[in-house]
Amino acid sequence: MTHSDLPETVRPDSVEHARETPELAQPHRELGLAEDEYQRIRDILGRRPTEAELAMYSVMWSEHCSYKSSKPHLKYFGTTTTPEMRSKMLAGIGENAGVVDIGDGWAVTFKLESHNHPSYVEPYQGAATGVGGIVRDIMAMGARPVAVADPLRFGPADAPDTRRVLPGVVAGVGGYGNCLGLPNIGGEVVFDESYASNPLVNAMCVGVLPSQDLHLAHASGTGNKLVLFGARTGLDGIGGVSVLASETFEGDESGGGHKKLPSVQVGDPFTEKVLIECCRELYGAGLVLGIQDLGGAGLSCATSELASAGDGGMRVDLDEVPLRASGMNAAEILSSESQERMCAVVRPGDVEAFMKVCAKWDVPATVIGEVTDGENLEIYSGDELVVDVPPRTVAHEGPVYDRPVERPAEQDLIAADNPNTLERPETPEQLRATLLRMTASPNLASREWVTSQYDRYVRGNTVLAQPSDGGVLRVDEDSGRGIAVATDCNARYTRLDPYEGARLALAEAYRNVAVTGATPMAVTNCLNFGSPEDPGVMWQFQQAVRGLADGCVELGIPVTGGNVSFYNQTGAKPILPTPVVGVLGTIDDVTRRIPTGVGEEAGETLLLLGETGEEFGGSEWARAEHDHLGGKPPQVDLARERLLAEVLRTGSRDGMVSAAHDLSEGGLAQTLVETTLIGECGARVVLPEGADPFVWLFSESAGRVLVAVPRSEELRFTEMCVARELPCTKIGVVDAESESLEIQDVADIPLTELREAWEGTFPRLFD
Amino acid sequence: MTVATGARIGVVTFPGTLDDVDAQRAVRRAGAEPVALWHGDHDLQGVDAVVVPGGFSYGDYLRCGAIAKYSPVMTELVLATGRGLPVLGICNGFQVLCESGLLPGALTRNAGLHYVCRDQWLRAENTTSTWSTRYEPGAEVLIPVKHGEGSYVADEDTLDELESSGRVLFRYVGGNPNGSRRDIAGITDTAGRVAGLMPHPEHAVDPLTGPTDDGLGMFLSALDALVTA
């Protein structure tokens, strides 16, 4: 049966009908609602919910939308944030995205979100619509999106399924983001067995706006109009409701199972690009009172969010919604996740001007309802009232679960599995071979195969992008003010110790912003974990949240928002706990940014800031050479990270530092390889007297940065480090004449050989 | 260091155009006044030259540049080239100029089938066109490419004709990013006033935000021509 064969008018399941048929069996379990949750809906409404109401509650009360398992833990972010940390925050947790004041009248909004499961099912569209969704979140803050970054995680690099998923995801991120005209300025690509059937596709978007233009999703003022604009509403991406379509309601003439609905949405980036420009013009003309993007749960989410954030009720007429499929019922229209749609609250007198702007950009726009002086969200389909609910009960008063939390006994076994007993390379030949093998290993090799598929130049404000540690973007062309962003997480560390692992992820993202010369100022996150019904996973989650929140207090920067993705597991085995941390920083003058590659100035000195210990727990060496994960993660000292950031900022401001590169996975060896290859310039390295070359080259001690300083600045810089008590070790010189990386008494490796190792891996795996 | 020349250079915006702000910035840096031209207007606002910038005009649905060809602004533009108006098409703009019949050949899917964004070395082949007099013959410049469909194709006779009449503007050196025939990165019309290229000179006007400022020469060349004309 095709859609055109459907009867033109199907009588919707109305509120009146629900009152008449209290005992009608409803498919709440199939929609993911537990028995007590369903009963709670009946109690709230004083009757059974209509089909449309059931669809709304089921999606809005889902884990994804309601944070029902994470809420009790996420509160910790709020309770630990001090007024001082909050001083630069214009909007925080609970809004579509956090907003911070960066000075000179500019505000920046940024957020990370996951699109993990759709990207496994359909890599291209899953990743593409992930970008589209986070970009609309940023637009809903009244901002102009200015950049994206994508932290990605996949199963083993050489697994056949990774060759299916990775190229599709990368093409999807690029295909959508490139078409929007947003430079991609960062991200990660990580491989681990635990992501084999559950890749992590996280997407970050950054937006800027004049501070006074902040638009929050509010629908106040009786008589104000609700305008739906952007793409038409279709049958795509109706997740939970597809169950409804295959369940036969008695008396429902539409019959059962007539619609096969794709559960992954299809994106149209062109429509979104036009929507971005259209929104900017609408905001600029002051035509928008409140705005909300349509993402997960579509109109049900947008209308209930807008209504519950306002002070009145709302009336919506579904007959006004422009559709692209015939025969859609009320529940389907409300739950459709068709992409590229926004919903605005507009003064009646501004509607004509609003429509005119939309017409200029060829964006369909329709008044679908208005703010009322009532209390409920009332939705009509024809003359029938199909939804009549208190909006807060849908959007904000869903169930909350205090899930059992239990530290798994195996944590002690993992901690006891000491990596220092693993066999190490000893001779110079063995060290040289280890360095080359690690450089070529999938987790350390060049990501250019990925990043060259992303536009990093568009709009002409990109000052640093990959392969730099952090992306730097100019915000104000006149003053040179800019921002820096980085995302990081070493989930192997988090597996060994979720509390310390989260602090390490925070430390690394913070450091990666600091090495650009920027001042870190705010944090977002995307917390990817296994099933919340597993007490061991909930323990990981609880510990990671606490580690991240406590770490933010130590660093004095707030968490402004974030996203939780649970159920990342196949069967009983969850993914490595992966709390991806995004840090945003500001830089007064982007011409002062510190590049990653050496050789900018003739004759630079290489200084290693921080201390190196024997720390191999969770290290890349242990994985690449021994497939080992055990022991303790590196120690993290956040006071030291703050000091490091201050020294780098001063170094950048006073022109004392010509290059800087963070030390993380792969240790000093990897940092030396990258900084010489990126700078296309050789270096001679002399490790300190008595140093164990293996430990110095491959340990992953935190809080370390390699800097190159012009010879003329060396004394001034080292004296500053001494004065501030930051350990600083001279480990070599940059040599413009040399075409190799020479590590005295260890190896002298031509840059061509290093480059071949570093750049050969991805094309070999994925071309 | 902007020198006001009084020249006005139009920059076209279609729905889906991305690099219009960059082209405007490049025009300004070169010393001319950028003038925004809207796709739906039958009006070139009396500009002295036009840049058709990169992006995905009308979503590049059907075929890159195929829908843009029918826009009101392109109708005016095609007429104006007949009167000698200098036009530069960059990336999607190059595709639009080919679709509009102002330049021969077509741009097809990259040989590697991936979108490619990288800093690309080019050799200046024609240094007498309106858009290239600031380059030394044979000069090598570093300018970003970023496209998925930039492989230049034409029949052998057309390619021979382009070569023999000196209409190859730039050629890729140090690796061909997209499989273009004869490594062609850009071409001109017979008069040398209409030019199209896949690389993005507007992204190479300031070493802070691009690999070099090698691209500025194209805009300065056009200004030289306008000021002396």
Side-chain angles (χ1 to χ4, degrees):
Chain A
M1 194 177 187
T2 63
H3 292 308
S4 54
D5 299 331
L6 289 170
E8 274 303 307
T9 49
V10 176
R11 186 171 179 262
D13 181 32
S14 64
V15 171
E16 190 189 347
H17 185 239
R19 285 212 177 87
E20 289 163 1
T21 55
E23 299 311 321
L24 186 77
Q26 294 194 281
H28 56 275
R29 296 201 69 85
E30 290 82 349
L31 287 168
L33 286 167
E35 211 56 54
D36 56 334
E37 290 174 342
Y38 176 66
Q39 194 50 51
R40 198 163 146 210
I41 297 168
R42 295 191 69 124
D43 293 346
I44 288 168
L45 300 176
R47 57 174 163 80
R48 77 158 173 90
T50 64
E51 182 184 333
E53 287 166 343
L54 185 66
M56 273 178 93
Y57 277 104
S58 73
V59 198
M60 291 299 290
W61 284 13
S62 69
E63 189 67 59
H64 178 76
C65 295
S66 75
Y67 293 80
K68 58 188 168 189
S69 303
S70 53
K71 240 181 203 169
H73 300 283
L74 296 177
K75 279 186 187 144
Y76 192 72
F77 286 124
T79 55
T80 51
T81 307
T82 63
E84 197 193 339
M85 289 159 73
R86 228 184 285 272
S87 62
K88 294 274 164 55
M89 255 165 83
L90 302 175
I93 295 171
E95 297 297 342
N96 283 306
V99 185
V100 289
D101 186 348
I102 64 161
D104 295 352
W106 289 102
V108 172
T109 174
F110 72 128
K111 192 183 179 189
L112 263 166
E113 207 162 69
S114 66
H115 226 219
N116 303 339
H117 297 117
S119 302
Y120 181 63
V121 178
E122 215 295 87
Y124 185 97
Q125 291 297 347
T129 53
V131 175
I134 190 72
V135 168
R136 284 193 301 281
D137 269 345
I138 294 303
M139 285 160 67
M141 300 309 290
R144 170 171 201 107
V146 290
V148 292
D150 294 83
L152 308 174
R153 284 168 173 78
F154 302 99
D158 54 0
D161 199 48
T162 301
R163 291 183 194 196
R164 170 185 74 93
V165 177
L166 183 144
V169 165
V170 170
V173 167
Y176 203 98
N178 294 342
C179 198
L180 292 186
L182 296 179
N184 193 309
I185 61 168
E188 303 161 80
V189 180
V190 178
F191 300 100
D192 185 90
E193 175 68 39
S194 79
Y195 307 118
S197 298
N198 205 119
L200 300 186
V201 176
N202 294 176
M204 180 195 238
C205 183
V206 185
V208 300
L209 64 155
S211 331
Q212 78 270 12
D213 280 8
L214 185 61
H215 283 83
L216 299 176
H218 294 165
S220 299
T222 304
N224 285 329
K225 300 296 180 188
L226 189 65
V227 183
L228 178 65
F229 63 115
R232 287 167 178 272
T233 299
L235 284 163
D236 50 336
I238 302 181
V241 180
S242 60
V243 181
L244 271 178
S246 60
E247 286 285 326
T248 309
F249 285 120
E250 281 177 64
D252 178 351
E253 294 176 17
S254 68
H258 65 266
K259 291 166 190 170
K260 290 279 175 267
L261 307 172
S263 60
V264 178
Q265 315 88 310
V266 176
D268 175 8
F270 168 65
T271 302
E272 181 129 322
K273 162 66 182 170
V274 173
L275 206 49
I276 291 174
E277 301 303 334
C278 181
C279 278
R280 282 312 305 152
E281 199 165 328
L282 291 168
Y283 297 155
L287 297 172
V288 177
L289 288 176
I291 190 148
Q292 177 78 43
D293 62 304
L294 273 70
L299 258 183
S300 17
C301 177
T303 52
S304 59
E305 292 268 6
L306 277 169
S308 67
D311 52 15
M314 189 181 279
R315 183 198 151 108
V316 177
D317 189 349
L318 293 181
D319 286 2
E320 299 299 327
V321 174
L323 303 177
R324 60 171 179 238
S326 60
M328 287 179 73
N329 66 29
E332 288 167 340
I333 295 170
L334 281 170
S335 306
S336 161
E337 293 187 1
S338 290
Q339 300 288 292
E340 294 95 22
R341 297 179 299 160
M342 305 283 286
C343 208
V345 179
V346 183
R347 281 181 212 95
D350 288 338
V351 168
E352 197 184 330
F354 187 102
M355 295 299 174
K356 219 169 157 183
V357 172
C358 291
K360 175 188 166 187
W361 290 99
D362 290 321
V363 170
T366 318
V367 174
I368 61 162
E370 63 179 34
V371 178
T372 65
D373 58 3
E375 285 178 357
N376 277 11
L377 170 62
E378 300 168 337
I379 302 180
Y380 287 84
S381 177
D383 296 333
E384 304 271 12
L385 179 63
V386 293
V387 171
D388 186 8
V389 297
R392 282 199 66 82
T393 65
V394 182
H396 298 291
E397 290 164 7
V400 175
Y401 294 120
D402 233 331
R403 305 259 190 208
V405 170
E406 194 186 333
R407 181 175 184 272
E410 63 168 2
Q411 285 296 136
D412 292 328
L413 296 176
I414 299 170
D417 186 3
N418 187 350
N420 290 342
T421 60
L422 299 170
E423 191 184 343
R424 298 175 173 187
E426 284 167 8
T427 66
E429 292 73 29
Q430 287 171 339
L431 285 163
R432 185 184 200 276
T434 303
L435 189 152
L436 279 167
R437 272 199 307 274
M438 288 191 48
T439 298
S441 69
N443 276 316
L444 298 179
S446 167
R447 271 86 183 105
E448 200 189 331
W449 187 91
V450 172
T451 55
S452 69
Q453 296 187 49
Y454 304 153
D455 183 349
R456 61 181 178 275
Y457 283 115
V458 66
R459 295 194 81 79
N461 288 314
T462 308
V463 176
L464 286 179
Q466 287 214 333
S468 295
D469 291 319
V472 175
L473 204 71
R474 180 172 60 190
V475 169
D476 189 320
E477 219 166 319
D478 296 323
S479 70
R481 180 172 289 279
I483 52 167
V485 289
T487 67
D488 284 290
C489 177
N490 185 325
R492 284 163 56 81
Y493 296 163
T494 327
R495 175 75 177 93
L496 299 181
D497 183 337
Y499 183 87
E500 291 299 326
R503 290 172 80 233
L504 280 158
L506 172 66
E508 189 182 348
Y510 182 91
R511 198 184 316 126
N512 281 335
V513 164
V515 295
T516 67
T519 307
M521 68 178 302
V523 175
T524 189
N525 59 65
C526 189
L527 308 173
N528 305 275
F529 287 78
S531 167
E533 293 160 40
D534 175 341
V537 168
M538 271 326 274
W539 174 78
Q540 291 175 333
F541 183 77
Q542 176 211 52
Q543 291 294 305
V545 166
R546 285 175 177 264
L548 182 55
D550 291 348
C552 284
V553 174
E554 285 184 73
L555 292 173
I557 55 176
V559 172
T560 62
N563 175 245
V564 177
S565 174
F566 277 132
Y567 296 102
N568 291 291
Q569 66 182 68
T570 308
K573 201 170 168 1
I575 58 161
L576 294 178
T578 313
V580 174
V581 178
V583 170
L584 170 79
T586 58
I587 181 164
D588 295 343
D589 176 2
V590 289
T591 63
R592 288 285 182 205
R593 90 290 188 204
I594 310 175
T596 308
V598 293
E600 289 254 315
E601 307 257 343
E604 296 158 315
T605 301
L606 290 173
L607 302 171
L608 179 59
L609 308 181
E611 286 168 294
T612 303
E614 193 170 342
E615 297 188 285
F616 290 96
S619 69
E620 202 50 44
W621 171 76
R623 178 205 328 242
E625 297 285 302
H626 295 282
D627 194 20
H628 176 273
L629 177 56
K632 287 183 182 153
Q635 289 186 346
V636 53
D637 176 351
L638 294 171
R640 169 65 60 77
E641 299 284 356
R642 272 183 100 149
L643 176 61
L644 196 54
E646 280 168 29
V647 164
L648 287 163
R649 185 169 64 242
T650 308
S652 135
R653 191 193 59 209
D654 296 351
M656 286 189 276
V657 177
S658 51
H661 194 2
D662 147 73
L663 272 71
S664 55
E665 287 86 356
L668 177 63
Q670 182 67 18
T671 296
L672 287 169
V673 167
E674 290 177 3
T675 197
T676 51
L677 289 180
I678 292 166
E680 299 180 13
C681 185
R684 284 198 310 278
V685 175
V686 183
L687 298 176
E689 189 109 355
D692 177 338
F694 167 74
V695 171
W696 271 73
L697 288 172
F698 298 108
S699 164
E700 295 185 6
S701 294
R704 295 184 301 163
V705 169
L706 180 72
V707 295
V709 297
R711 203 160 290 162
S712 57
E713 301 294 333
E714 186 182 336
L715 188 63
R716 189 156 72 114
F717 187 84
T718 49
E719 280 177 350
M720 173 175 69
C721 291
V722 171
R724 299 203 184 186
E725 296 179 33
L726 177 68
C728 169
T729 313
K730 180 170 177 174
I731 61 157
V733 290
V734 175
D735 184 355
E737 303 299 306
S738 157
E739 290 182 356
S740 70
L741 172 61
E742 182 193 340
I743 304 169
Q744 193 174 295
D745 299 330
V746 176
D748 185 355
I749 312 177
L751 293 187
T752 49
E753 191 178 351
L754 278 178
R755 191 174 294 283
E756 212 166 283
W758 194 50
E759 292 181 353
T761 304
F762 270 61
R764 198 161 49 242
L765 284 165
F766 300 111
D767 261 343
Chain B
M1 215 181 7
T2 302
V3 186
T5 58
R8 298 169 72 244
I9 298 184
V11 175
V12 176
T13 300
F14 301 105
T17 292
L18 305 179
D19 300 310
D20 45 356
V21 286
D22 301 88
Q24 288 173 9
R25 186 187 291 114
V27 164
R28 206 176 298 120
R29 262 187 113 81
E33 179 196 341
V35 178
L37 302 179
W38 184 243
H39 71 112
D41 294 341
H42 279 280
D43 186 0
L44 298 181
Q45 300 187 35
V47 294
D48 304 307
V50 171
V51 177
V52 186
F56 297 80
S57 55
Y58 303 94
D60 271 350
Y61 292 125
L62 189 60
R63 199 170 61 235
C64 298
I67 302 175
K69 169 188 171 182
Y70 295 103
S71 63
V73 77
M74 282 309 296
T75 313
E76 298 303 318
L77 191 84
V78 171
L79 287 172
T81 55
R83 300 190 294 266
L85 181 79
V87 177
L88 175 65
I90 303 168
C91 195
N92 190 230
F94 185 16
Q95 294 163 340
V96 173
L97 297 186
C98 289
E99 286 288 339
S100 304
L102 292 175
L103 292 172
L107 286 310
T108 60
R109 190 103 187 259
N110 291 352
L113 303 183
H114 293 304
Y115 180 97
V116 175
C117 174
R118 74 182 200 201
D119 300 338
Q120 175 69 44
W121 286 101
L122 307 175
R123 187 169 62 233
E125 299 283 10
N126 170 332
T127 56
T128 59
S129 82
T130 303
W131 297 94
S132 61
T133 49
R134 286 277 185 128
Y135 297 94
E136 296 292 324
E140 295 196 352
V141 295
L142 188 64
I143 288 178
V145 292
K146 41 169 210 150
H147 56 249
E149 302 190 26
S151 178
Y152 183 73
V153 296
D155 60 61
E156 287 300 314
D157 289 346
T158 304
L159 292 170
D160 290 341
E161 159 65 19
L162 286 171
E163 302 264 12
S164 63
S165 57
R167 288 166 58 196
V168 174
L169 189 59
F170 287 102
R171 225 185 281 272
Y172 299 116
V173 290
N176 178 336
N178 51 36
S180 283
R181 300 291 187 277
R182 305 190 193 180
D183 299 330
I184 290 173
I187 57 172
T188 73
D189 68 347
T190 47
R193 280 191 290 268
V194 178
L197 78 169
M198 286 313 294
H200 288 261
E202 84 283 16
H203 287 316
V205 297
D206 180 355
L208 179 69
T209 51
T212 60
D213 58 4
D214 290 351
L216 201 55
M218 295 199 74
F219 302 93
L220 292 171
S221 299
L223 275 185
D224 291 347
L226 293 175
V227 172
T228 52

